[in-house]
Amino acid sequence: MTGLVREVVVGQAVLPVELTPDAITLLRFGAVTRNAHRIHYDTEFARSEGLDGPVVMAQLHGCLFHRAAAEFAGEGGRVREVAWRNRAPAYVGDRLVVTGTVQSVDVSSGAVTLDLVERCGAGGVVCCRGRAVVIPG
């Protein structure tokens, strides 16, 4: 067990991670992840599918959850697990903010479970909920 684990307490805040993806961000992320679905880059197609416009990929939400967990784990720490469930679409230009709290601390293993939530847009709609398990460094 590291010394940092003793300082981590249930209810402790996870510092926010923010991103406002633009069309180029989605295009590049789609290329890197080999996700060429038209709902992520074609406005008219996305609208024909009942969306307001191109939507953020689920995997990009996961990357933000992972970033929040990794930053909480700190240097020398590691992320053991990340899981999330999309709740509402996020669109190009929406400000995405991942926040969270420490849900539990396993003193014997040093594992810290984080409860994470991602809000999007001006109204702060919950677009994803999830959790991560980290070993702080």
Side-chain angles (χ1 to χ4, degrees):
M1 177 171 73
T2 67
L4 182 60
V5 172
R6 289 186 201 102
E7 298 172 12
V8 174
V9 296
V10 171
Q12 181 176 336
V14 174
L15 293 177
V17 168
E18 299 182 23
L19 176 71
T20 303
D22 58 18
I24 293 172
T25 300
L26 293 189
L27 177 70
R28 289 178 175 165
F29 190 84
V32 168
T33 59
R34 302 179 69 134
N35 184 344
H37 197 292
R38 290 173 62 187
I39 64 172
H40 302 301
Y41 67 86
D42 183 330
T43 300
E44 291 309 313
F45 182 80
R47 288 182 178 151
S48 76
E49 294 292 307
L51 301 163
D52 292 341
V55 293
V56 174
M57 297 84 164
Q59 297 86 351
L60 184 54
H61 296 294
C63 286
L64 294 177
F65 274 50
H66 187 276
R67 187 188 315 166
E71 288 181 9
F72 185 87
E75 189 162 338
R78 64 185 191 275
V79 178
R80 284 194 357 199
E81 178 184 326
V82 176
W84 73 98
R85 174 169 257 156
N86 293 4
R87 300 290 186 188
Y91 298 97
V92 167
D94 278 347
R95 180 173 165 248
L96 308 175
V97 181
V98 176
T99 58
T101 56
V102 173
Q103 183 180 42
S104 65
V105 179
D106 183 335
V107 178
S108 64
S109 70
V112 176
T113 301
L114 307 175
D115 181 33
L116 301 171
V117 62
E118 181 185 70
R119 296 182 184 278
C120 65
V125 172
V126 173
C127 55
C128 296
R129 287 199 173 276
R131 65 188 282 277
V133 178
V134 301
I135 306 295

